[in-house]
Amino acid sequence: MALLGIDVGTSGCKVVAFRENGEVLSSSGKEYPFITPRPGWLEIDPEKIWEAVCTALGEVGRDLREPISALAVTSHGETLIPLGRDGRPLTFAIANFDVRANRYVAFFRERFDPFHLFSVTGMPLHGMYTVNKILWLRDHEPEIFERTWKFSCVEDFIVFRLTGEEPAMDYSLASRTMMFDVRRKAWAWEILEAVGISKERLPRVLPSGTPVGSLREDLARDFGLRGKILVATGGHDQPCGVLGCGVSSPGEAMYGIGTSECVALNIGPSPFLTKEMMENGFCCYPHVTEGDYITLAYIASGGSLVRWFRDAIAPDKKQEARELGKDPYRVLFEHLPEGPVPLFVLPHFAGSGTPYLDEHSRGAIVGLTLAASRWEIFRAILESLTYEMKVNLDLFEAFGLPIVDLRAVGGGARSLEWLRMKADILGKTLLLPETEEAVALGTAILAGKAAGIFAHAREGIAAMVRFRGKVEPSLERHETYGRYYSVYQKVYNGLKEVHELLSMLQGEEESREE
């Protein structure tokens, strides 16, 4: 019997079928476009998301030679999909990184002590959360606000379409709305009251790996699937990835090295909701494993910064790779000089992540001389992304959240050179899961739990997660990198005022253009 994980991201979805031992049987991925009606606005057509999921499910279904017992859905967080009473979206989805609702941070500051809000929701006050998008809809699209039956996110929208049952989402995704009480594991009444909506206008909330219904018969026929297929709650994509790379105990963490970089740390059965966590932008919310909580550290740039270097600084190597039939990133790494290099890159090209959450911060290259080569800049990008993550991990450990090891997943985990660099800078062992599809695998484990194949998520880890190796740090290189890291730690604060002034200038220019 097969288990399916459906992973719905911001720009595409992936459907992966696994055997109960973790072997990949079939997979399919489909993309959908962003809509950017104004600068800073980011929308997605929910029907395009649904079409992509259906297409990928159909391709996997037609490819499989064995029946599916269950599937679960994971998705990115914060995106808002207002649904009418007929279950159809009333407007395009307001995507997670859309900035139009940022001004509602002031709305909450006027009504709540920020630490009280953090103590209830586990989310540091920020404009990206779903509740702010609902407020924007209330004030700017009042007719749509009034007509909305369910203020839905992506996981529950897809589960609803697959089953026809009332929308339901898991605790981890509900937390990303900033309307969820992470201790009580229920909608937070005081926040709903402030916003002016009832819990009846929100999806049901259930533990991850809970059955919601069965795949609609008409869809099963369309997808070429046989038998009754259970559909279950999955979770927010980051904790699903944590589960899929075998994290089962406090101190174990996933290091996602993709378009952005993220470390997701299992902090155990008690929420860790201190002022220090809030002040450094670290969230704390229910994990997809039973009773555990999770926290995240992230850099908005990651692989996207490597892609920028490829396209803006080394386009000739991209062409060379095409002519040689090689992966263009592999060609870049062939030119990587020995390190560390005396250059630093502040990797805030797409804004900062934790611990700063600074909307004004920009990217910068520091330490350039006439002798600097583009390949030294390339290495500085790779090193500095890891320095930036070390800033976060050092704070975790200072707060009493030790990190035992990191499980590396994502496109960046394919580069042994970069993994060695990361292990040396962080002074941590990197474990390498066998599958790159950690998010889908974690979601499939939750499907197996819902179907009764696994008694709990940890049993699913034992059955389905395998590792292909590990990268150990060099003590000597770690000590050398430590001297460079002490300099890197001064870069953000040294440029903070400059970036605020640049942001002000840009705002003035945009105002004149309007």
Side-chain angles (χ1 to χ4, degrees):
M1 297 287 281
L3 296 169
L4 253 65
I6 300 177
D7 175 13
V8 188
T10 51
S11 59
C13 71
K14 184 164 280 190
V15 177
V16 187
F18 299 89
R19 280 209 174 95
E20 293 170 20
N21 64 359
E23 178 188 350
V24 174
L25 294 171
S26 180
S27 68
S28 176
K30 300 297 169 187
E31 295 183 347
Y32 28 84
F34 287 132
I35 303 161
T36 52
R38 295 188 191 179
W41 289 27
L42 193 65
E43 299 176 349
I44 315 170
D45 184 347
E47 297 297 349
K48 295 294 184 187
I49 299 175
W50 173 242
E51 288 170 13
V53 169
C54 288
T55 302
L57 259 172
E59 290 183 359
V60 169
R62 286 185 284 275
D63 188 47
L64 282 176
R65 295 294 176 265
E66 52 192 270
I68 298 166
S69 56
L71 65 84
V73 180
T74 183
S75 77
H76 64 282
E78 299 93 39
T79 293
L80 171 66
I81 304 175
L83 296 179
R85 290 224 166 255
D86 60 359
R88 295 185 179 279
L90 296 174
T91 185
F92 288 151
I94 304 176
N96 47 359
F97 293 124
D98 184 290
V99 302
R100 76 185 73 177
N102 285 358
R103 69 183 184 88
Y104 289 97
V105 169
F107 172 93
F108 284 101
R109 284 194 187 279
E110 291 168 3
R111 289 161 177 79
F112 296 96
D113 173 73
F115 184 59
H116 173 70
L117 198 66
F118 178 69
S119 299
V120 172
T121 68
M123 298 293 134
L125 191 51
H126 194 276
M128 70 178 170
Y129 299 117
T130 317
V131 67
N132 300 298
K133 296 171 172 66
I134 292 173
L135 283 168
W136 184 91
L137 205 65
R138 184 195 70 179
D139 293 346
H140 294 83
E141 299 283 355
E143 183 186 353
I144 291 174
F145 178 85
E146 292 300 331
R147 287 171 55 206
T148 298
W149 168 56
K150 296 288 181 183
F151 294 102
S152 185
C153 294
V154 178
E155 175 195 3
D156 50 304
F157 170 65
I158 297 300
V159 167
F160 166 65
R161 284 285 179 94
L162 291 172
T163 63
E165 303 289 342
E166 184 180 338
M169 70 168 69
D170 82 296
Y171 298 158
S172 68
L173 195 73
S175 300
R176 304 303 301 180
T177 67
M178 210 180 78
M179 295 184 287
F180 191 71
D181 188 320
V182 296
R183 296 179 192 271
R184 293 176 49 247
K185 296 180 180 174
W187 294 117
W189 64 269
E190 58 188 311
I191 297 173
L192 302 192
E193 189 175 70
V195 176
I197 61 174
S198 66
K199 68 177 183 180
E200 286 72 31
R201 299 182 74 187
L202 295 170
R204 293 177 291 155
V205 284
L206 301 168
S208 297
T210 299
V212 176
S214 298
L215 182 65
R216 288 165 32 196
E217 290 183 4
D218 59 319
L219 292 176
R221 284 194 300 272
D222 291 344
F223 302 151
L225 302 175
R226 306 182 302 279
K228 187 175 181 180
I229 299 171
L230 184 70
V231 177
T233 52
H236 184 217
D237 52 8
Q238 296 292 351
C240 282
V242 172
L243 175 59
C245 64
V247 168
S248 61
S249 300
E252 296 175 346
M254 175 191 75
Y255 193 169
I257 313 167
T259 304
S260 57
E261 290 204 6
C262 178
V263 166
L265 174 66
N266 183 343
I267 59 177
S270 299
F272 194 76
L273 298 165
T274 65
K275 280 195 173 180
E276 291 80 8
M277 288 284 283
M278 180 194 74
E279 288 166 354
N280 286 280
F282 297 128
C283 57
C284 175
Y285 60 108
H287 191 9
V288 295
T289 56
E290 300 85 352
D292 284 340
Y293 285 81
I294 194 169
T295 186
L296 307 178
Y298 69 91
I299 309 168
S301 300
S304 58
L305 193 45
V306 178
R307 184 170 64 241
W308 169 82
F309 175 88
R310 181 197 71 184
D311 295 345
I313 299 183
D316 56 316
K317 296 301 174 184
K318 184 178 178 181
Q319 177 61 31
E320 179 184 313
R322 188 179 296 115
E323 292 169 357
L324 296 173
K326 286 186 173 183
D327 179 274
Y329 295 107
R330 184 67 259 153
V331 172
L332 296 184
F333 275 94
E334 288 172 358
H335 294 273
L336 195 66
E338 289 296 313
V341 293
L343 294 175
F344 301 101
V345 176
L346 186 65
H348 296 175
F349 284 49
S352 79
T354 53
Y356 313 114
L357 297 184
D358 182 352
E359 64 185 33
H360 302 298
S361 194
R362 312 288 182 90
I365 303 174
V366 178
L368 285 172
T369 69
L370 292 173
S373 73
R374 60 176 171 168
W375 301 113
E376 287 176 314
I377 295 172
F378 180 49
R379 186 171 187 106
I381 288 171
L382 302 178
E383 291 177 343
S384 296
L385 282 165
T386 312
Y387 293 144
E388 183 84 347
M389 188 55 75
K390 183 169 169 56
V391 170
N392 287 277
L393 303 193
D394 284 355
L395 285 169
F396 281 158
E397 298 198 312
F399 298 160
L401 297 174
I403 296 170
V404 178
D405 61 42
L406 297 160
R407 287 99 193 285
V409 297
R414 297 172 195 157
S415 168
L416 190 57
E417 298 97 324
W418 200 6
L419 292 176
R420 286 197 188 105
M421 194 186 303
K422 288 182 177 297
D424 291 341
I425 291 172
L426 298 173
K428 301 289 183 186
T429 298
L430 300 181
L431 299 181
L432 311 179
E434 198 170 81
T435 179
E436 294 182 1
E437 307 294 353
V439 175
L441 177 57
T443 311
I445 289 173
L446 294 170
K449 177 192 169 190
I453 294 166
F454 308 126
H456 45 74
R458 286 174 178 80
E459 189 174 296
I461 289 173
M464 297 186 74
V465 179
R466 302 284 182 272
F467 295 91
R468 58 185 171 88
K470 62 183 178 180
V471 179
E472 299 276 10
S474 157
L475 180 59
E476 181 182 351
R477 287 194 294 272
H478 178 61
E479 290 177 352
T480 301
Y481 272 120
R483 295 194 292 274
Y484 286 79
Y485 174 60
S486 66
V487 178
Y488 177 83
Q489 288 174 287
K490 302 178 186 298
V491 171
Y492 167 74
N493 284 322
L495 292 170
K496 190 173 188 296
E497 184 181 358
V498 172
H499 286 152
E500 287 172 356
L501 292 169
L502 280 173
S503 184
M504 191 183 304
L505 286 173
Q506 184 181 20
E508 290 172 359
E509 290 295 326
E510 289 173 353
S511 296
R512 276 197 290 270
E513 288 173 7
E514 289 176 1

